[in-house]
């Protein structure tokens, strides 16, 4: 079971990464998986990424104090923080359902991309999901094209556990339950996420598909994450969105898993969050 290496060596979790990242592109939408994208901006700043370009339909969501998470002190918009504003660029788009012309220009000279455009809830909380539709496939199709045009290879994207029949990536009872959800009232989300994953698998990119478990709104960041390995005890289902974001940034900056997927969670035995 792979554990956040900073935790095991006793280094400061918020300290600089040993790897250098000059530019990171972060994309987020709405919903639980997309909330990880918002936190990835902060995780990138923690790691002293020199510049972060944020691409989203919803820039105003950064003004929310509560990012649907358990972060104790809440949040402020990093674009309004004098300590970080000069390191950030915002690119607002209208809709991933529309072609984004010259999108590749925003990816030039990036070291890596973090894409959190997927959504796995039915859409009850976000009316835009009903109005605009799910965009994991449509958005990431354009992201992949832009990355290839800009000659950027590393991308870390968020998806879900329990998508595929017989999937044993997370040996936990909740996998079977999520599978039932995906086969019933979450069918549209399943098809969208599966189509997104297929696009990455068929691309030339060095992708990592991250499947977080238990990213509940009340889960407090622990400063540590656990990565599920085959044949080992199931990781816990109560990982915070901020800790998933840290894992994604760590993998973007210094890849250890290429062209594959991994479940990330909390310490084994942790109850579902």
């Amino acid at each position: 079971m792979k554990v956040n290496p900073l935790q095991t060596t006793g280094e400061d979790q918020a300290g600089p990464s040993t790897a250098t990242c000059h530019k990171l592109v972060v994309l987020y939408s709405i919903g639980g998986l997309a909330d990880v994208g918002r936190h990835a901006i902060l995780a990138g700043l923690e790691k002293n990424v020199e510049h972060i370009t944020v691409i989203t339909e919803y820039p105003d969501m950064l003004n929310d104090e509560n990012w649907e998470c358990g972060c104790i002190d809440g949040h402020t918009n990093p674009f309004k923080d004098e300590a970080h504003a000069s390191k950030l660029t915002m690119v607002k788009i209208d809709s991933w359902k529309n072609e984004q012309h010259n999108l590749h220009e925003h990816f030039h000279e990036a070291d890596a991309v973090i894409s959190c455009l997927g959504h796995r809830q039915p859409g009850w909380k976000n009316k835009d999901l009903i109005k605009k539709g799910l965009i994991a496939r449509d958005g990431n199709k354009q992201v992949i094209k832009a990355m290839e045009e800009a000659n950027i290879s590393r991308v870390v994207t968020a998806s879900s556990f329990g998508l595929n029949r017989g999937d044993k990536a997370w040996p936990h009872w909740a996998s079977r339950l999520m599978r039932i959800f995906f086969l019933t009232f979450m069918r549209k989300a399943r098809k969208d996420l599966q189509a997104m994953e297929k696009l990455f698998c068929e691309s030339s990119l060095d992708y990592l598909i991250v499947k977080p478990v238990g990213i509940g709104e009340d889960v407090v960041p622990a400063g540590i994450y656990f990565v599920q390995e085959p044949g080992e005890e199931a990781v816990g289902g109560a990982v915070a969105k901020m800790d998933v974001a840290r894992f994604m940034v760590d993998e973007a900056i210094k890849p250890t898993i290429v062209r594959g997927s991994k479940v990330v969670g909390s310490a084994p035995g942790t109850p579902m969050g």
Side-chain angles (χ1 to χ4, degrees), residues 228-243:
Q228 184 69 54
E229 297 295 349
E232 296 191 359
E233 182 182 2
V235 298
V239 65
K241 294 175 181 178
M242 185 64 194
D243 290 331

Side-chain angles (χ1 to χ4, degrees), residues 21-136:
C21 182
H22 299 290
K23 179 180 176 179
L24 187 65
V25 177
V26 175
L27 304 100
Y28 72 85
S29 183
I30 51 178
L33 294 176
D35 289 337
V36 176
R38 285 194 281 178
H39 288 82
I41 303 169
L42 303 182
L45 293 171
E46 276 188 351
K47 298 293 182 179
N48 290 336
V49 174
E50 293 180 14
H51 196 86
I52 302 174
T53 294
V54 181
I55 304 176
T56 183
E57 299 171 76
Y58 306 98
D60 290 343
M61 287 180 63
L62 295 178
N63 292 323
D64 298 340
E65 182 178 349
N66 180 3
W67 288 5
E68 307 294 336
C69 63
C71 296
I72 296 175
D73 296 326
H75 295 288
T76 57
N77 188 334
F79 282 83
K80 297 180 180 179
D81 186 337
E82 292 183 1
H84 300 310
S86 63
K87 298 181 178 181
L88 302 171
T89 296
M90 174 61 72
V91 178
K92 184 183 185 305
I93 66 165
D94 54 357
S95 171
W96 287 110
K97 294 293 185 181
N98 301 327
E99 182 180 358
Q100 300 302 312
H101 300 284
N102 301 318
L103 184 65
H104 67 280
E105 294 179 357
H106 304 298
F107 290 78
H108 280 310
E109 300 184 348
D111 295 282
V113 175
I114 292 177
S115 179
C116 297
L117 299 179
H119 191 82
R120 61 187 178 191
Q121 284 78 30
W124 299 322
K125 290 182 62 177
N126 297 293
K127 293 182 179 179
D128 265 8
L129 288 173
I130 299 174
K131 180 180 178 182
K132 294 185 177 182
L134 299 168
I135 47 87

